[in-house]
Amino acid sequence: ELQQKVEETEVLKMELQMLETERVRLSLVEEKLLDVLQLLQQLRDLNISKRALGKILLSTLESYPDPQPGKAQLLEVLDTLHQELAACELLHKQPMEQAQSPRSLSNPLVISC
């Protein structure tokens, strides 16, 4: 009976370890999903077209041909989507335009006619 209890304890320890691993994985997925949603919100605020967003999403999904991604691949897809959205020109263009306009007005070499 003692041996049986020891075996049950070992099985429970393994299950607990598997649950902890799954919890960490889900935490990573949740974090990456939040990052992607924040980027989508920023792009929406910049009035990016639905067509452009669709192209980004489709190009990301096309890089993973398996129609039913596994658990590990899900995080890779989210990570790739995050990278694609973060590389969007509008996110980088907006701050540069804002930074350039005051500089061009205060440039002493500008001659107004």
Side-chain angles (χ1 to χ4, degrees), residues 9-45:
T9 303
E10 288 301 315
V11 168
L12 288 173
K13 282 181 181 178
M14 287 178 59
E15 287 178 2
L16 183 62
Q17 186 177 10
M18 288 172 36
L19 284 172
E20 181 63 23
T21 302
E22 184 67 9
R23 186 192 66 77
V24 169
R25 188 191 71 77
L26 286 174
S27 244
L28 292 172
V29 168
E30 180 184 25
E31 237 177 75
K32 190 56 70 176
L33 189 55
L34 285 174
D35 290 344
V36 166
L37 290 174
Q38 286 174 343
L39 284 171
L40 286 171
Q41 180 70 38
Q42 288 174 4
L43 289 169
R44 189 186 77 172
D45 292 345

Side-chain angles (χ1 to χ4, degrees), residues 37-103:
L37 290 174
Q38 286 174 343
L39 284 171
L40 286 171
Q41 180 70 38
Q42 288 174 4
L43 289 169
R44 189 186 77 172
D45 292 345
L46 294 172
N47 294 325
I48 189 170
S49 72
K50 291 178 183 178
R51 172 171 271 172
L53 283 176
K55 285 181 181 180
I56 292 170
L57 179 60
L58 287 177
S59 71
T60 300
L61 293 176
E62 286 172 355
S63 58
Y64 295 92
D66 187 9
Q68 296 178 338
K71 291 178 180 180
Q73 192 177 9
L74 178 64
L75 189 57
E76 290 178 33
V77 171
L78 278 174
D79 192 43
T80 303
L81 181 58
H82 180 267
Q83 291 171 5
E84 292 291 323
L85 291 171
C88 186
E89 288 179 19
L90 280 178
L91 285 175
H92 302 289
K93 193 177 188 181
Q94 188 72 14
M96 288 177 63
E97 287 176 355
Q98 291 172 350
Q100 286 176 351
S101 55
R103 202 180 320 140

Side-chain angles (χ1 to χ4, degrees), residues 94-113:
Q94 188 72 14
M96 288 177 63
E97 287 176 355
Q98 291 172 350
Q100 286 176 351
S101 55
R103 202 180 320 140
S104 65
L105 295 175
S106 64
N107 189 341
L109 299 176
V110 173
I111 300 173
S112 96
C113 298

